[in-house]
Amino acid sequence: MAVYALNLFDLADNDEYLKYAKRSAAEVEKHGGKVLALGKYNSALVGDIEPRTVMILVEWESKDAFDHYCNDPELADLHPHREQGTKNYVWHLFDKLDGLKPLFYPQA
């Protein structure tokens, strides 16, 4: 089943994230991911989460595809650029739903 990865973060004061971004799009696609949305913070309407500057939403073919991207030894040199190029990172996974029924009737 597909999953969505919600990435919220601030950029650090360096060019590390740029190094990550130049290569990551192709690697995400190669590992079964598709970037659905990129966003720059606009405003907080409701909620108590500390705002982040950047939002990226990625749809992954499966949790296994996401895990493979995160743990692929060939990408061991890539992920440190993301880690060093950002701060206040929030990375949440959400199951893809075709409707609201699973939320209201989780045992169905």
Side-chain angles (χ1 to χ4, degrees):
M1 174 178 13
V3 296
Y4 294 110
L6 176 63
N7 303 257
L8 303 171
F9 58 92
D10 296 316
L11 294 172
D13 294 330
N14 60 53
D15 65 350
E16 288 294 316
Y17 193 79
L18 184 58
K19 293 175 186 176
Y20 175 77
K22 287 180 179 179
R23 185 172 155 210
S24 66
E27 293 295 346
V28 164
E29 187 174 326
K30 178 178 158 186
H31 285 79
K34 179 180 178 185
V35 175
L36 299 180
L38 299 168
K40 179 182 171 198
Y41 179 75
N42 180 299
S43 59
L45 301 178
V46 176
D48 59 2
I49 187 171
E50 181 181 333
R52 305 303 197 273
T53 308
V54 180
M55 179 277 304
I56 301 176
L57 180 63
V58 180
E59 181 176 15
W60 292 91
E61 292 173 355
S62 65
K63 173 76 165 55
D64 287 341
F66 172 79
D67 289 341
H68 187 253
Y69 172 75
C70 292
N71 300 311
D72 185 345
E74 292 183 19
L75 301 182
D77 64 327
L78 177 64
H79 296 297
H81 294 301
R82 175 181 44 78
E83 294 162 3
Q84 296 167 15
T86 62
K87 56 187 178 181
N88 305 319
Y89 213 101
V90 175
W91 209 358
H92 290 180
L93 293 181
F94 296 84
D95 291 331
K96 181 177 182 176
L97 300 177
D98 292 324
L100 292 176
K101 186 176 179 179
L103 295 175
F104 295 111
Y105 307 103
Q107 304 303 324

